[in-house]
């Protein structure tokens, strides 16, 4: 008996209309503007990719005492600007001639690229897999993250450990912003406030990570026997509820912090001082 969902025999069919899938004529029954979310996500991520690529390869205007761009911290090559008391660690020596940001950005980039939320964001925004909830995807088959290269998404937890280290360095950089251009302590400028907001959002995003939540409370059979970990797990869980908001907020804040340093270093204006 025909049910109206028999596999399609249409030649050249793709995605959900291939012969191996049920024949559902409608791509979706949604009446809202479902395409706005994936389109907005793709536009936002693309804008950040273009901006961060430009700044990463520019190798200029990333230090204006006492501020160092989060894209260039820590600086691991000899071709870095000398930052008094700053994160200058010449691990790679003089043989590295490219932008020093390329040595460090791989870690926060890897952390965000493998993040559960960002996976959803760029899968939908760029690959239309699927483009939105209850909307048919255009791909012939679905293998999930079981094959190369998407199987590499499973290293997200290890990037989390590196992200903690990077956040620690950026916290140190934020403390250094309470100096003036002559490195005297006890001063605060507009940049100090921007850096404070940025590091708060970076820590909130990092700690709201699903891997962090699992590390703290995973593999426990009885929460009652681990009250401290249970309480921490609850705190991280509340952050995790806002993981998407924190992902976007921290992405914007790190770009704003970098752009502010760029404006100072390029001489666009002087850092306003509160005291």
């Amino acid at each position: 008996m025909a049910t109206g969902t028999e596999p399609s025999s249409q030649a050249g069919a793709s995605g959900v209309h291939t012969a191996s899938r049920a024949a559902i004529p409608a791509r979706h029954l949604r009446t809202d503007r479902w395409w706005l979310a994936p389109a907005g996500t793709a536009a936002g991520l693309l804008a950040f990719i273009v901006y961060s690529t430009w700044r990463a390869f520019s190798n200029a205007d990333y230090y204006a005492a006492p501020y160092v761009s989060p894209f260039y911290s820590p600086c691991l090559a000899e071709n870095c600007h000398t930052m008094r008391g700053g994160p200058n660690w010449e691990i790679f020596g003089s043989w590295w001639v490219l932008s020093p940001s390329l040595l460090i950005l791989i870690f926060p980039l890897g952390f965000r690229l493998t993040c559960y939320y960002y996976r959803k964001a760029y899968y939908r925004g760029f690959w239309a897999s699927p483009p939105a909830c209850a909307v048919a995807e255009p791909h012939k088959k679905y293998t999930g993250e079981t094959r190369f290269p998407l199987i590499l998404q499973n290293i997200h937890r290890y990037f989390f450990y590196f992200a903690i280290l990077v956040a620690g360095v950026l916290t140190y950089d934020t403390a250094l912003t309470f100096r003036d251009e002559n490195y005297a302590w006890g001063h605060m400028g507009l940049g100090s406030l921007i850096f404070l907001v940025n590091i708060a959002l970076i820590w909130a995003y990092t700690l709201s990570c699903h891997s962090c939540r699992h590390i703290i409370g995973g593999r426990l059979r009885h929460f009652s026997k681990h009250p401290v970990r249970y309480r921490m797990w609850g705190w991280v869980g509340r952050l995790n509820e806002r993981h998407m908001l924190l992902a976007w907020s921290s992405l914007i804040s790190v770009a704003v912090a970098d752009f502010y340093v760029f404006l100072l270093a390029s001489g666009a204006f002087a850092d306003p001082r509160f005291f």
Side-chain angles (χ1 to χ4, degrees):
M1 181 176 66
T3 63
T5 59
E6 287 78 12
S8 172
S9 59
Q10 181 181 355
S14 63
V16 296
H17 300 297
T18 55
S20 61
R21 298 202 180 185
I24 302 176
R27 292 192 68 245
H28 62 84
L29 298 177
R30 295 180 61 167
T31 58
D32 62 323
R33 297 179 180 178
W34 59 265
W35 48 270
L36 283 177
T41 297
L45 291 177
L46 186 61
F48 181 81
I49 291 171
V50 172
Y51 173 79
S52 60
T53 301
W54 164 61
R55 288 293 292 140
F57 283 92
S58 66
N59 193 18
D61 298 324
Y62 59 84
Y63 182 66
Y67 308 112
V68 57
S69 164
F71 287 1
Y72 286 81
S73 181
C75 222
L76 303 179
E78 284 188 7
N79 62 344
C80 296
H81 280 292
T82 300
M83 297 176 283
R84 183 175 172 183
N88 283 95
W89 304 332
E90 299 175 358
I91 298 176
F92 286 82
S94 59
W95 64 270
W96 183 266
V97 295
L98 301 177
S99 172
S101 69
L102 301 180
L103 295 171
I104 193 63
L105 283 182
I106 184 62
F107 299 112
L109 173 63
F111 178 59
R112 289 183 183 263
L113 193 65
T114 58
C115 165
Y116 289 104
Y117 166 70
Y118 281 113
R119 293 187 212 179
K120 167 193 167 183
Y122 62 77
Y123 285 175
R124 290 186 175 187
F126 293 108
W127 295 345
S129 180
C133 290
V135 178
E137 63 176 280
H139 308 287
K140 292 184 178 180
K141 59 182 180 179
Y142 174 76
T143 58
E145 297 173 343
T146 62
R147 297 182 181 180
F148 183 84
L150 295 185
I151 196 172
L152 297 178
Q153 303 281 29
N154 293 313
I155 64 176
H156 178 60
R157 171 176 293 190
Y158 303 101
F159 274 118
F160 168 74
Y161 299 136
F162 285 108
I164 289 290
L165 295 176
V166 171
V169 173
L170 296 183
T171 302
Y172 174 71
D173 294 343
T174 302
L176 295 182
T177 65
F178 289 88
R179 304 179 299 176
D180 61 14
E181 62 276 8
N182 298 314
Y183 306 101
W185 286 95
H187 301 274
M188 179 179 180
L190 177 59
S192 307
L193 184 59
I194 292 175
F195 272 62
L196 277 173
V197 173
N198 178 55
I199 194 58
L201 289 172
I202 285 179
W203 272 116
Y205 165 67
T206 303
L207 296 179
S208 71
C209 169
H210 294 76
S211 291
C212 178
R213 190 167 183 260
H214 178 73
I215 290 170
I216 291 176
R219 303 182 67 85
L220 293 180
R221 294 187 178 181
H222 305 287
F223 277 129
S224 59
K225 295 182 179 180
H226 305 273
V228 175
R229 289 184 64 182
Y230 176 67
R231 184 176 293 274
M232 294 174 62
W233 180 79
W235 292 340
V236 173
R238 284 192 287 273
L239 283 176
N240 184 257
E241 294 174 0
R242 296 168 175 80
H243 196 49
M244 180 181 73
L245 175 62
L246 293 171
W248 279 105
S249 299
S250 59
L251 194 72
I252 294 172
S253 71
V254 74
V256 169
D258 171 81
F259 188 63
Y260 187 78
V261 175
F262 166 75
L263 292 176
L264 295 180
S266 60
F269 64 89
D271 180 44
R273 288 284 169 176
F274 299 127
F275 56 84

